[in-house]
Amino acid sequence: MKTNIKHLMKLLLISIMLSSCSDFLEEVPPTFISTPNYYQTAGDARTAVDGIYERMRVVYSRWWMGIDMYTDDLVSRTAGSSNFNMMALHTTFPSAGLFESTDVYSAWWEGIGRANNVIANVPAIDMDEAEKNLIIGEARALRAFYYYNLVRAFGDVPMVNTAVLTEADFMKPRAAVDDIYNEIIIPDLLFAGEHCSDGLHDGHITKWTAKLILSEVYLTRAGMRRTSQGVFVQGDASNYALASEMAKDVVDNAPNSLNIVASLSAVAYGTAWDKATPFTSESMLEISYLPVSGYGNWMSRESRGWTRGTNYWGSDSSTPLIDEGITGDLYDLSFPSTPNVGTYLPTPHLYDEFEDGDERRDFNIMTRYDDGEGNTYLCQPMFRKFMDLDYLTGVDGTSFQYTNNNTILYRFADALLIYAEAQNEADGAPNAEAYEAVNKIRNRAGLADLVVGLSQEDFRNALWKERRCEFAGEYKRKFDLIRTNRLTNSTLSVNLDWTPDQDAVTTFRNTYSLYTGSVLWPDHEWLWPIPQSQLDLNIENNWEQNEGY
């Protein structure tokens, strides 16, 4: 019992970790202060809620992208990764290091514990009431978001919605997913939608961030899921109307807009990803990282393939750009930074999803980079969104352990495509505003408008394709495939060989060799397993493992 208490107390945190992030939060080393003595001033409240954000920085800095591993979008390099080999073979198991040794389960609970402390203690502080509700709103929005990720990834989880003061506060059974949605996620986001900031996103949750996440929650609840007991459940279709209404509120009334300012690092079209100008008008939930050890983003390291563009561009001694007057071979044109881990790599199948002329393809899947100073770099295909180009090009002072490329989780483009999808499903056919929403995304990418007069099914399929191209590498693919009941077949006939059809010079495969791309996704792997250590610690609470593990 003492081991159980010690472990869960660590996850749910009776004390507050004071820590935050660059640009919107000032980084400081972790410090632990007992809860009763801490909450005294408005400044204490703000620092405490900033500590909730810090867990989001941790979980997205390296391992959470694994949620999409071995869908049709994402694979690992040939050598594989000990954390993801099991996913290549569809032999995922509860005691794997991914669940026991990384933050994909524990960090969400640490954040929930911090949120519960803020929600419990801030009301007693003598401070401006509007500011108090804003801070509580941010805490509740973050708690909702953390629970949202837990239930989508792991299914039933315990409902811990109060500060942990006694053993009974955390010794709880797993609660049904629907109860978590109805009693925590939706009420928390509704509260945040009323009380958070009305301005543009600066790193803190705004009312529009909360409403956008809530629109996605409704969209998710309308779709398919598999319960922890192994039952496939189709959600209530009435949620489509709720999703449409909430997303339309964001589209019509939020101060956000699509970013259409071109920049070199964004290839040739507007995007939310530009390190020189973080937190654009499009950004609605963005995590900022510092180039400081312990506070940086590891995704550039994890997502970088082979040092050179070998096989994709030719042999090591080839000069693929000689027609452009660039005489260097692949050694000369390679990115200088190391290491080359290649945990998260795009598939040729994803590459083929982009239409001819779609500027998003060369932004999302980078095989070449021209820095504007006469330097050209070639590489095997990798996700551009994950890359800090200062690190890749070897700028002094950069390191794979602390790159400062931000991670963007939600943006105005989400609102447009959620509205279009939900409206089409709710009303049986797309209206003019749904077309307009999708066409704004397509036009920015250099594509023509959708053909007018599509049926509900044809518009649905076009919308799903837009989501895949627009949000590639944004932690959405597996969840999209689940709610639309496409996960089971998503790995069938997935092309894993880069060929001249994908602009490769030769045919090659740079993915885990045992993954064939022609295996049905196992039913039980719609959910990840609860970490075995948690099952062992909660025998008295009658926890049972997700069906199939």
Side-chain angles (χ1 to χ4, degrees):
M1 181 65 69
K2 288 183 178 179
T3 302
N4 191 5
I5 294 173
K6 180 179 179 181
H7 187 80
L8 289 176
M9 293 286 273
K10 177 183 178 182
L11 291 183
L12 296 172
L13 290 178
I14 284 182
S15 45
I16 293 293
M17 181 177 183
L18 309 180
S19 160
S20 48
C21 297
S22 172
D23 291 331
F24 63 97
L25 307 170
E26 181 182 359
E27 296 279 8
V28 295
T31 305
F32 291 90
I33 303 173
S34 63
T35 300
N37 296 326
Y38 178 73
Y39 290 93
Q40 303 295 323
T41 68
D44 296 338
R46 169 46 63 191
T47 303
V49 81
D50 288 350
I52 310 171
Y53 287 96
E54 190 272 343
R55 289 295 85 185
M56 185 163 54
R57 175 193 65 80
V58 169
V59 77
Y60 283 103
S61 67
R62 190 173 184 184
W63 295 116
W64 188 247
M65 193 65 229
I67 195 68
D68 285 342
M69 186 59 72
Y70 294 104
T71 61
D72 46 6
D73 278 9
L74 190 71
V75 291
S76 276
R77 63 185 172 87
T78 300
S81 162
S82 60
N83 277 309
F84 298 121
N85 289 349
M86 61 182 178
M87 293 186 179
L89 300 173
H90 291 295
T91 57
T92 302
F93 57 100
S95 59
L98 177 66
F99 310 117
E100 298 286 7
S101 305
T102 73
D103 45 43
V104 298
Y105 184 82
S106 62
W108 299 123
W109 286 111
E110 292 166 0
I112 288 168
R114 297 177 189 185
N116 286 338
N117 278 322
V118 169
I119 295 164
N121 291 284
V122 166
I125 297 177
D126 183 13
M127 58 184 292
D128 177 78
E129 199 67 21
E131 183 181 3
K132 179 186 295 185
N133 283 329
L134 183 149
I135 286 174
I136 294 172
E138 289 182 31
R140 292 186 66 172
L142 289 167
R143 182 174 69 175
F145 180 60
Y146 294 174
Y147 262 116
Y148 179 45
N149 283 306
L150 280 169
V151 298
R152 287 188 297 170
F154 296 97
D156 297 347
V157 293
M159 187 181 299
V160 183
N161 55 2
T162 60
V164 175
L165 300 176
T166 68
E167 181 179 327
D169 293 331
F170 61 83
M171 294 289 291
K172 296 185 176 184
R174 295 173 70 185
V177 166
D178 283 336
D179 292 341
I180 300 294
Y181 274 119
N182 292 332
E183 298 183 38
I184 296 179
I185 296 173
I186 292 174
D188 278 357
L189 290 171
L190 287 171
F191 182 92
E194 291 294 324
H195 296 287
C196 286
S197 165
D198 193 27
L200 286 170
H201 176 61
D202 61 357
H204 293 99
I205 298 282
T206 71
K207 63 184 295 182
W208 304 109
T209 307
K211 290 184 176 187
L212 175 56
I213 296 173
L214 183 54
S215 72
E216 187 187 76
V217 166
Y218 288 136
L219 190 66
T220 298
R221 295 200 78 189
M224 180 71 74
R225 68 180 179 89
R226 189 174 191 263
T227 71
S228 291
Q229 294 73 40
V231 179
F232 287 97
V233 177
Q234 178 64 52
D236 188 338
S238 65
N239 284 289
Y240 284 123
L242 296 173
S244 174
E245 179 182 0
M246 193 61 63
K248 192 65 162 60
D249 187 10
V250 176
V251 170
D252 289 346
N253 300 309
N256 304 85
S257 60
L258 289 180
N259 180 29
I260 57 173
V261 178
S263 68
L264 179 68
S265 62
V267 188
Y269 73 97
T271 177
W273 281 264
D274 185 358
K275 191 169 68 173
T277 55
F279 302 108
T280 67
S281 63
E282 184 169 345
S283 176
M284 298 190 73
L285 185 56
E286 180 170 345
I287 307 171
S288 184
Y289 289 89
L290 277 175
V292 176
S293 183
Y295 295 96
N297 193 337
W298 284 55
M299 288 298 287
S300 290
R301 171 191 187 270
E302 295 299 322
S303 307
R304 177 147 185 233
W306 188 242
T307 302
R308 300 176 295 282
T310 307
N311 294 325
Y312 183 87
W313 286 97
S315 64
D316 288 345
S317 60
S318 64
T319 55
L321 302 182
I322 194 72
D323 290 344
E324 299 178 26
I326 300 175
T327 59
D329 60 23
L330 287 185
Y331 276 89
D332 299 326
L333 300 175
S334 63
F335 284 108
S337 67
T338 56
N340 310 293
V341 177
T343 302
Y344 308 118
L345 296 173
T347 65
H349 192 273
L350 173 61
Y351 185 100
D352 288 340
E353 188 79 343
F354 295 91
E355 300 174 39
D356 290 342
D358 191 335
E359 298 178 19
R360 293 173 296 191
R361 187 194 69 184
D362 292 335
F363 174 71
N364 280 293
I365 302 177
M366 181 170 70
T367 60
R368 171 175 178 162
Y369 176 63
D370 299 289
D371 67 2
E373 298 179 359
N375 300 307
T376 296
Y377 303 90
L378 303 180
C379 59
Q380 290 181 349
M382 56 189 180
F383 282 106
R384 165 67 183 83
K385 291 175 181 176
F386 296 153
M387 298 300 157
D388 182 340
L389 287 164
D390 285 349
Y391 158 65
L392 289 183
T393 56
V395 173
D396 288 344
T398 60
S399 166
F400 73 84
Q401 292 178 307
Y402 40 87
T403 58
N404 67 344
N405 51 310
N406 287 2
T407 295
I408 302 176
L409 303 178
Y410 289 95
R411 47 196 176 93
F412 191 70
D414 283 271
L416 291 169
L417 294 185
I418 289 172
Y419 167 71
E421 180 176 0
Q423 182 279 318
N424 181 53
E425 298 298 338
D427 298 339
N431 63 19
E433 291 173 309
Y435 272 100
E436 181 183 5
V438 177
N439 289 334
K440 285 180 178 179
I441 301 291
R442 289 179 57 82
N443 295 165
R444 179 173 69 169
L447 299 176
D449 290 351
L450 287 177
V451 175
V452 177
L454 295 176
S455 66
Q456 181 187 39
E457 182 178 1
D458 288 343
F459 188 85
R460 176 190 297 136
N461 290 329
L463 190 285
W464 286 347
K465 182 173 182 176
E466 288 304 318
R467 283 190 62 86
R468 188 180 184 192
C469 294
E470 182 68 19
F471 300 132
E474 295 184 38
Y475 310 89
K476 292 179 169 66
R477 184 60 178 167
K478 183 181 179 184
F479 293 140
D480 272 357
L481 291 171
I482 286 173
R483 68 177 179 77
T484 59
N485 198 19
R486 293 178 292 153
L487 179 62
T488 299
N489 296 323
S490 70
T491 49
L492 286 177
S493 303
V494 174
N495 174 30
L496 296 176
D497 292 317
W498 292 91
T499 71
D501 289 338
Q502 292 91 29
D503 289 340
V505 173
T506 59
T507 299
F508 83 104
R509 177 176 293 189
N510 189 37
T511 62
Y512 186 58
S513 57
L514 295 181
Y515 177 65
T516 64
S518 59
V519 180
L520 279 173
W521 195 286
D523 287 350
H524 68 282
E525 287 188 10
W526 279 49
L527 291 174
W528 275 349
I530 298 295
Q532 187 60 46
S533 62
Q534 294 300 299
L535 267 294
D536 295 342
L537 290 168
N538 282 279
I539 294 175
E540 296 178 17
N541 295 316
N542 299 316
W543 281 28
E544 294 184 4
Q545 185 56 268
N546 290 335
E547 180 66 26
Y549 289 103

